[in-house]
Amino acid sequence: MKRPDIWLALLAFFLTTCRRKKDEPWFNLFTVEDDLKLGAQVAAEIESKPQEYPILDSARYATAYAHLYRMRNALLATGKLQYADRFPWRLRIIHNDTIQNAFCAPGGYIYIYTGIIKYLRNEAQLMGVLGHEMAHADRRHVSQLLTQAYGVQTLLNLLTGGNPGLIGQIAANLLLLSFSRDHERDADAHSVIYLCPTEYPADGAAYFFEYITQEGGPRIPAFLSTHPDPGERVNNIRNKARELGCRGNQLYEGRYAELVAALP
Ligand SMILES: [Zn+2]
């Protein structure tokens, strides 16, 4: 009985084509609303586990949060993020100096480890990293990858309240997500597009890669081991910034030192 399979496949194709937005290059069975719901669930899960994810209190560490939100706002104000107004873009700092990483849940819930903030040297580098992570959410790579990994039906069931154990698994895996090279290139290119209208150098992400790969420099953070070759990424990022004629040149090292000093 081959025929019903074909009709099912066609039906699935039409359903997904209808759900897909024209300007998103990747196949995604999730709607933007689904991204928001899943992101909120993942965020609630992360924040219910202070042992694993010790989140810095936003009132007690108000100075650190103010610096990060100012940088985030500079990105959102560019008008270059498709979901700038639709996603919450909420930031949380996770207190762990040994993890040099940041990640973003679907729907724009951003998590930054103290390890990566302390590891970087200026705002331009962190803006590059922020732009890259925000692109994974705004370009909807995260939900696409989760759909691939878990299957759309499992995730849709999750949104309607089934399988609470799975949400913990997804939260834990967000940090380990291995995006495709295409997704990484797209996130790099969009970090340039987002930074270009700001006063920062649009190749902030390239500064970051150069900094971590310099001779005698700090060791490469774990999350980069799954990413494409840093040298190639530096070239792509620089070329993109040149192509767009970006002119920002502020690094803000002093202000960055204030952010680092405000952390525990
Ligand atoms: Zn990435």
Side-chain angles (χ1 to χ4, degrees), residues 132-133 136 179 184 187 227 233:
H132 178 96
E133 293 305 328
H136 278 315
F179 289 106
E184 289 306 342
H227 285 50
R233 296 179 73 175

mmCIF file of all heavy atoms in Angstrom, residues 132-133 136 179 184 187 227 233, ligand 1:
data_model
loop_
_atom_site.group_PDB
_atom_site.id
_atom_site.type_symbol
_atom_site.label_atom_id
_atom_site.label_comp_id
_atom_site.label_asym_id
_atom_site.label_seq_id
_atom_site.Cartn_x
_atom_site.Cartn_y
_atom_site.Cartn_z
ATOM 1 N N HIS A 132 24.896 37.024 17.366
ATOM 2 C CA HIS A 132 24.897 35.664 16.830
ATOM 3 C C HIS A 132 23.807 34.814 17.511
ATOM 4 O O HIS A 132 23.025 34.143 16.839
ATOM 5 C CB HIS A 132 26.282 35.055 17.047
ATOM 6 C CG HIS A 132 26.413 33.646 16.575
ATOM 7 N ND1 HIS A 132 26.919 33.313 15.340
ATOM 8 C CD2 HIS A 132 26.083 32.476 17.172
ATOM 9 C CE1 HIS A 132 26.897 31.994 15.197
ATOM 10 N NE2 HIS A 132 26.400 31.452 16.296
ATOM 11 N N GLU A 133 23.758 34.855 18.841
ATOM 12 C CA GLU A 133 22.763 34.044 19.564
ATOM 13 C C GLU A 133 21.340 34.528 19.283
ATOM 14 O O GLU A 133 20.417 33.722 19.133
ATOM 15 C CB GLU A 133 23.041 34.068 21.074
ATOM 16 C CG GLU A 133 24.335 33.370 21.487
ATOM 17 C CD GLU A 133 24.422 31.924 20.999
ATOM 18 O OE1 GLU A 133 23.376 31.251 20.901
ATOM 19 O OE2 GLU A 133 25.545 31.475 20.689
ATOM 20 N N HIS A 136 20.091 33.188 16.050
ATOM 21 C CA HIS A 136 19.601 31.799 16.077
ATOM 22 C C HIS A 136 18.116 31.755 16.459
ATOM 23 O O HIS A 136 17.373 30.900 15.986
ATOM 24 C CB HIS A 136 20.403 30.962 17.081
ATOM 25 C CG HIS A 136 21.708 30.441 16.543
ATOM 26 N ND1 HIS A 136 21.853 29.863 15.304
ATOM 27 C CD2 HIS A 136 22.949 30.380 17.109
ATOM 28 C CE1 HIS A 136 23.112 29.485 15.126
ATOM 29 N NE2 HIS A 136 23.806 29.794 16.204
ATOM 30 N N PHE A 179 24.282 23.307 15.672
ATOM 31 C CA PHE A 179 23.652 23.873 14.488
ATOM 32 C C PHE A 179 24.424 23.440 13.247
ATOM 33 O O PHE A 179 25.615 23.167 13.314
ATOM 34 C CB PHE A 179 23.649 25.395 14.575
ATOM 35 C CG PHE A 179 22.710 25.940 15.606
ATOM 36 C CD1 PHE A 179 23.192 26.459 16.790
ATOM 37 C CD2 PHE A 179 21.342 25.918 15.399
ATOM 38 C CE1 PHE A 179 22.324 26.966 17.743
ATOM 39 C CE2 PHE A 179 20.470 26.414 16.350
ATOM 40 C CZ PHE A 179 20.959 26.932 17.522
ATOM 41 N N GLU A 184 25.031 28.301 11.206
ATOM 42 C CA GLU A 184 26.111 29.088 11.817
ATOM 43 C C GLU A 184 26.503 30.259 10.923
ATOM 44 O O GLU A 184 26.689 31.381 11.393
ATOM 45 C CB GLU A 184 27.327 28.218 12.112
ATOM 46 C CG GLU A 184 27.130 27.231 13.259
ATOM 47 C CD GLU A 184 26.659 27.882 14.546
ATOM 48 O OE1 GLU A 184 26.792 29.113 14.712
ATOM 49 O OE2 GLU A 184 26.116 27.160 15.391
ATOM 50 N N ALA A 187 23.818 32.831 11.134
ATOM 51 C CA ALA A 187 23.849 33.585 12.398
ATOM 52 C C ALA A 187 25.023 34.567 12.389
ATOM 53 O O ALA A 187 24.887 35.712 12.854
ATOM 54 C CB ALA A 187 23.936 32.631 13.584
ATOM 55 N N HIS A 227 31.404 24.278 15.951
ATOM 56 C CA HIS A 227 31.148 25.319 14.966
ATOM 57 C C HIS A 227 32.151 25.202 13.810
ATOM 58 O O HIS A 227 33.190 24.581 13.958
ATOM 59 C CB HIS A 227 31.276 26.703 15.620
ATOM 60 C CG HIS A 227 30.109 27.050 16.495
ATOM 61 N ND1 HIS A 227 29.615 26.205 17.458
ATOM 62 C CD2 HIS A 227 29.341 28.159 16.534
ATOM 63 C CE1 HIS A 227 28.582 26.797 18.050
ATOM 64 N NE2 HIS A 227 28.398 27.982 17.514
ATOM 65 N N ARG A 233 35.334 31.739 9.375
ATOM 66 C CA ARG A 233 34.243 32.587 9.874
ATOM 67 C C ARG A 233 34.690 34.036 9.984
ATOM 68 O O ARG A 233 33.931 34.953 9.660
ATOM 69 C CB ARG A 233 33.766 32.066 11.232
ATOM 70 C CG ARG A 233 33.184 30.684 11.102
ATOM 71 C CD ARG A 233 32.729 30.139 12.422
ATOM 72 N NE ARG A 233 31.506 30.776 12.884
ATOM 73 C CZ ARG A 233 30.867 30.384 13.990
ATOM 74 N NH1 ARG A 233 31.346 29.404 14.709
ATOM 75 N NH2 ARG A 233 29.754 30.974 14.348
HETATM 76 ZN ZN ZN B 1 25.866 29.435 16.798
#
